[in-house]
Amino acid sequence: MAKIAIMGHGVVGSGVAELLRKNSTNISQRIGQSIEISKILDLREFNNLPYLDLFTKNFDDILKDDEISVVVETIGGLDPSYEFTKSLLKSGKSVVSSNKELVAQKGDELLSIARENHVNYLFEASVGGGVPIIRPIYSCLAANKIEYICGILNGTTNFIITKMLEDGLSFEEALALAKDKGYAEKDPTDDINGSDSNRKICILASLAYGTHIYPHEVCQSGIECIELADVDFARSIGCVIKLIGKARRLENGKISIMVCPAFVSNSSKLASVGGVYNAILVKGDAVGEVLFVGQGAGKMPTASAVVADIINIVRAEKTFISQSWKPSNGSIVQAHEQYESRFYLRLKARDAKEAREFVLKNYKSPVFLSRKDQPADEIALTTGYMLESEIKDLTNLFSGHRIKQLSKLIILD
Amino acid sequence: MAKIAIMGHGVVGSGVAELLRKNSTNISQRIGQSIEISKILDLREFNNLPYLDLFTKNFDDILKDDEISVVVETIGGLDPSYEFTKSLLKSGKSVVSSNKELVAQKGDELLSIARENHVNYLFEASVGGGVPIIRPIYSCLAANKIEYICGILNGTTNFIITKMLEDGLSFEEALALAKDKGYAEKDPTDDINGSDSNRKICILASLAYGTHIYPHEVCQSGIECIELADVDFARSIGCVIKLIGKARRLENGKISIMVCPAFVSNSSKLASVGGVYNAILVKGDAVGEVLFVGQGAGKMPTASAVVADIINIVRAEKTFISQSWKPSNGSIVQAHEQYESRFYLRLKARDAKEAREFVLKNYKSPVFLSRKDQPADEIALTTGYMLESEIKDLTNLFSGHRIKQLSKLIILD
């Protein structure tokens, strides 16, 4: 019998407890032994749970229990998760985490502590919820050089954009609906502004390229700026809008990494992935493109990934099975300014004719778009390949031409 | 350094050799040691290869080489792969296989021999080519009760059907094109008649349900009967045709398992997967639906899966990491006659009025379909839920009513 503890009895932590109890017979049959929850750490008071006797408010009850070999961390955030995780790994316990913020900020250090202490630190649930992605990249695509990883990594924003596209809701209406349905948290800032997707693409890129990449190194923008006008312009050229996280190895050996709303062609495998689903496309030099799709969040899908990690640690006996990567060397990530893409821009111009001339003169291969009921002062265009810095410089030039940039999206290749 | 051997230098075997050489630096960095090919077994003569010195025609050169710890089997078929694999496992060598026929027929026995000898028998490449599917089901979805597995498991037939749908080619024309492009073998019988998909759904079902399921237990039909008329009727109700393999756990605890061409709604995640791609949908009780998509065949995608298995065995040191399942108990599979589904039927009737009356009287909830330029003697319909045996009994009743059944497909839920 393997004894485990759970830290944090929120949505994910309670899901883990529920799933371990519900499928205990199946799990025991599969791994040849049972998994028993010994302790649950949470500072809050709970009622009406069949396992109230397991609760403790004292971390030491877990740390000092020598029978507990695996600890689940679903507290979230850095404090106290970071210190707790370090202490547990150093004391010879394996840790399973759904905490993307902690992995994205401290993954290299925690993986290295795990390796030193010959225990495992696994975090399949930190990206894609229940979608198997970290272990498949680490295990199943291990023979490949990863050319790129590109995906819809946040279910909340994908739900919002899908509702704007399919039902014509405004951004605010779609966000309200997402909150109603429990898909968006009370404070959805990290989802909307791209921070959540940023952490996830950092974890995937660190894994794929073997070197820790920090969220602050990522070129990030969110979906706050998206309006129905942008959805219409996207549709006019056979595209949908998705919040995309993408990491790509460049010919110069650097990694280009960004989180940004994007025009995605309807012919792309990502285009039809709607609602709260996540989809991750991985291109390997041998395997070609592989796509993983599933529910990117939610109590039971996320618990499914956490419990899978527990099972794999128990199965592995004393073997070190953690993925791992090296600390950041500070120079693997391509500078934001050098980010190259085709862009979509929507501008508001006091003098449309003057603005069009400005566009034709300054942007590479501009193509003007049009939509029904387009206001006279609205100009939308796609560009050829340009640097992020070139786009920025042109925006600074705008003022003299009485132009305001309303939206800037990339066009996904 | 880990020393390996490759048996069979055909498409997959040569791909494995090529990939191990091409990405050797990357692979060594990832696993902390290099993988070296010591021997290649093939009875044929080869020229112009940089590693001709590795070839042998004598199996004993591999079996008796104590330095070789992992052997790749890409010979295919049962003879001599079955005896070779048994001997290798018994001699303490792990075996990695892309041989779906062998796994589908003898998987339980070989897995049990592997376990007894504390070595590994892995076969990620046997299903889905490069698409990660066996390890994700075994590892990442291990906390789930699998409700069903449903997928497009054969790239050749999917290419043919896609060409019929998109370019209006006849079955024969599309098959000829598939051969031209190297997607179909000289003798594509096993692809076309569903045998290849059958082996794959057996492997996935055995893994998901823990008991060996044999190909002869599967309700199988192929795509030989599909005509452009069927493609048109499918389109008339918002569907495409796909050759589907599906295994599902029934409420009575039995497994319903089949390979059959099917009407798939355009709203299904499987509908848009065209060409030589494979797509596998897995529904777990916790995770919900998860979809895996990628190239289901081809030299390098398949080699990617084989080399991943090698890497995982080397990484696992001496730990037993194989998936495993119990021998068949002969009673887990639901009888074919009890297979229940909605059906699509296309009939040729000497007297259309008489045939329509027969249909209305005998089939459950029949809905007649129509298409452009429909011949007067052609009747097409969908039914409500009926048993396979009921459909068969009605076909036997046909003769008196001068009706001939031209196509029978299932309608995928």
Side-chain angles (χ1 to χ4, degrees), chain A residues 19 22-23 26-27 30 124 130-132 135-136 138-146 208 249 269 272 277 285-295 300-301 304-305 307-308 311-312 315-317 319-320, chain B residues 19 22-23 26-27 30 124 130-132 135-136 138-146 208 249 269 272 277 285-295 300-301 304-305 307-308 311-312 315-317 319-320:
Chain A
L19 183 56
K22 176 169 175 258
N23 286 357
N26 260 56
I27 292 170
R30 281 195 189 148
E124 179 65 61
V131 186
R135 190 169 290 107
Y138 174 70
S139 286
C140 305
L141 304 181
N144 289 262
K145 287 182 193 143
I146 304 296
R249 187 195 291 276
K269 295 186 181 72
S272 62
Y277 276 80
D285 65 339
V287 77
E289 270 193 352
V290 184
L291 177 71
F292 303 86
V293 183
Q295 291 180 56
M300 295 316 278
S304 163
V307 177
I311 290 174
N312 281 282
R315 268 186 187 146
E317 298 161 17
T319 315
F320 181 76
Chain B
L19 183 56
K22 176 170 175 259
N23 286 358
N26 260 54
I27 293 170
R30 281 194 189 149
E124 180 64 63
V131 186
R135 190 169 290 108
Y138 174 70
S139 287
C140 305
L141 305 181
N144 289 262
K145 286 182 193 145
I146 304 295
R249 187 196 291 277
K269 295 187 180 72
S272 63
Y277 276 80
D285 65 338
V287 77
E289 271 193 351
V290 184
L291 177 70
F292 303 85
V293 183
Q295 290 181 57
M300 295 316 279
S304 162
V307 176
I311 289 174
N312 281 281
R315 267 185 188 147
E317 298 160 18
T319 315
F320 180 75

Side-chain angles (χ1 to χ4, degrees), chain A residues 131 150-153 269-270 273 277-281 291-294:
Chain A
V131 186
C150 175
I152 299 165
L153 300 169
K269 295 186 181 72
L270 298 177
V273 177
Y277 276 80
N278 279 197
I280 302 157
L281 206 48
L291 177 71
F292 303 86
V293 183

Side-chain angles (χ1 to χ4, degrees), chain A residues 55-262:
Chain A
F55 278 83
T56 174
K57 294 185 168 61
N58 184 357
F59 172 63
D60 278 351
D61 286 348
I62 293 173
L63 182 68
K64 296 193 172 149
D65 185 336
D66 290 338
E67 291 193 333
I68 293 173
S69 56
V70 184
V71 180
V72 173
E73 187 266 297
T74 63
I75 302 171
L78 297 184
D79 179 32
S81 302
Y82 174 51
E83 292 301 332
F84 282 4
T85 302
K86 273 202 295 189
S87 303
L88 291 164
L89 295 172
K90 285 178 181 170
S91 78
K93 297 184 197 306
S94 290
V95 176
V96 171
S97 178
S98 63
N99 184 341
K100 52 218 164 210
E101 192 176 351
L102 180 59
V103 179
Q105 292 292 354
K106 303 287 184 184
D108 54 343
E109 182 187 350
L110 295 171
L111 284 166
S112 144
I113 296 173
R115 184 177 281 276
E116 280 161 22
N117 291 278
H118 205 70
V119 289
N120 289 295
Y121 182 51
L122 299 185
F123 37 81
E124 179 65 61
S126 66
V127 183
V131 186
I133 183 66
I134 290 184
R135 190 169 290 107
I137 290 179
Y138 174 70
S139 286
C140 305
L141 304 181
N144 289 262
K145 287 182 193 143
I146 304 296
E147 297 179 10
Y148 58 77
I149 297 175
C150 175
I152 299 165
L153 300 169
N154 181 278
T156 308
T157 47
N158 202 42
F159 175 84
I160 291 171
I161 298 173
T162 305
K163 282 290 157 189
M164 292 175 72
L165 176 74
E166 290 180 0
D167 301 341
L169 299 190
S170 70
F171 174 80
E172 291 74 17
E173 289 165 340
L175 173 58
L177 184 63
K179 284 188 184 175
D180 264 7
K181 287 190 171 268
Y183 297 152
E185 295 178 58
K186 269 185 197 163
D187 177 4
T189 311
D190 281 2
D191 295 318
I192 303 296
N193 72 14
S195 296
D196 179 79
S197 297
N198 184 337
R199 291 168 193 142
K200 292 167 177 170
I201 195 68
C202 280
I203 296 172
L204 295 179
S206 301
L207 180 65
Y209 299 117
T211 300
H212 195 99
I213 293 173
Y214 288 104
H216 69 80
E217 298 178 281
V218 175
C219 188
Q220 174 188 332
S221 53
I223 63 163
E224 313 90 334
C225 69
I226 309 291
E227 295 184 16
L228 284 172
D230 302 306
V231 173
D232 287 345
F233 282 121
R235 193 183 280 124
S236 78
I237 54 168
C239 290
V240 292
I241 295 176
K242 296 285 176 193
L243 180 64
I244 294 291
K246 183 167 183 178
R248 188 162 59 96
R249 187 195 291 276
L250 304 173
E251 280 178 20
N252 64 10
K254 295 213 172 199
I255 308 301
S256 152
I257 182 165
M258 64 84 187
V259 169
C260 191

Side-chain angles (χ1 to χ4, degrees), chain A residues 293-350:
Chain A
V293 183
Q295 291 180 56
K299 179 175 180 167
M300 295 316 278
T302 310
S304 163
V306 170
V307 177
D309 277 349
I310 301 172
I311 290 174
N312 281 282
I313 290 173
V314 174
R315 268 186 187 146
E317 298 161 17
K318 299 288 174 197
T319 315
F320 181 76
I321 56 168
S322 280
Q323 59 281 27
S324 67
W325 56 71
K326 286 181 280 187
S328 166
N329 62 12
S331 66
I332 195 182
V333 176
Q334 175 93 340
H336 300 182
E337 298 72 29
Q338 295 299 310
Y339 184 75
E340 195 175 18
S341 177
R342 294 170 62 217
F343 289 88
Y344 153 84
L345 302 166
R346 185 162 56 89
L347 313 173
K348 191 179 165 83
R350 211 171 292 176

Side-chain angles (χ1 to χ4, degrees), chain B residues 83 134 281:
Chain B
E83 292 300 333
I134 291 183
L281 206 49

Side-chain angles (χ1 to χ4, degrees), chain B residues 54-107:
Chain B
L54 303 180
F55 278 83
T56 174
K57 294 184 167 62
N58 184 357
F59 171 62
D60 278 350
D61 286 348
I62 292 173
L63 182 68
K64 296 193 172 149
D65 185 335
D66 291 338
E67 292 193 334
I68 293 173
S69 56
V70 184
V71 180
V72 173
E73 187 266 297
T74 63
I75 302 171
L78 297 184
D79 179 31
S81 302
Y82 174 50
E83 292 300 333
F84 282 4
T85 301
K86 274 202 293 189
S87 303
L88 290 164
L89 294 172
K90 285 179 180 170
S91 78
K93 297 185 197 305
S94 289
V95 176
V96 170
S97 178
S98 63
N99 184 340
K100 51 219 164 206
E101 192 176 353
L102 181 58
V103 179
Q105 292 292 354
K106 304 286 185 185

Side-chain angles (χ1 to χ4, degrees), chain B residues 83-225:
Chain B
E83 292 300 333
F84 282 4
T85 301
K86 274 202 293 189
S87 303
L88 290 164
L89 294 172
K90 285 179 180 170
S91 78
K93 297 185 197 305
S94 289
V95 176
V96 170
S97 178
S98 63
N99 184 340
K100 51 219 164 206
E101 192 176 353
L102 181 58
V103 179
Q105 292 292 354
K106 304 286 185 185
D108 55 342
E109 182 188 351
L110 295 171
L111 285 166
S112 146
I113 295 173
R115 184 177 281 275
E116 280 161 22
N117 291 278
H118 205 71
V119 290
N120 288 295
Y121 182 50
L122 299 185
F123 37 81
E124 180 64 63
S126 66
V127 183
V131 186
I133 183 65
I134 291 183
R135 190 169 290 108
I137 290 178
Y138 174 70
S139 287
C140 305
L141 305 181
N144 289 262
K145 286 182 193 145
I146 304 295
E147 297 179 9
Y148 58 76
I149 298 175
C150 176
I152 299 166
L153 299 170
N154 181 277
T156 307
T157 47
N158 203 41
F159 175 83
I160 291 171
I161 298 172
T162 305
K163 282 290 158 191
M164 292 175 73
L165 176 74
E166 289 179 2
D167 302 341
L169 300 190
S170 70
F171 174 80
E172 291 74 17
E173 289 166 341
L175 173 58
L177 184 63
K179 284 187 184 175
D180 264 7
K181 287 188 170 272
Y183 296 153
E185 294 179 58
K186 267 186 199 164
D187 178 3
T189 311
D190 281 2
D191 295 317
I192 303 296
N193 71 13
S195 296
D196 178 79
S197 297
N198 184 337
R199 291 168 193 141
K200 292 168 177 170
I201 194 68
C202 281
I203 296 171
L204 294 179
S206 301
L207 179 66
Y209 300 117
T211 300
H212 195 98
I213 294 173
Y214 289 104
H216 68 79
E217 298 177 280
V218 176
C219 187
Q220 173 189 332
S221 53
I223 63 163
E224 313 89 334
C225 69

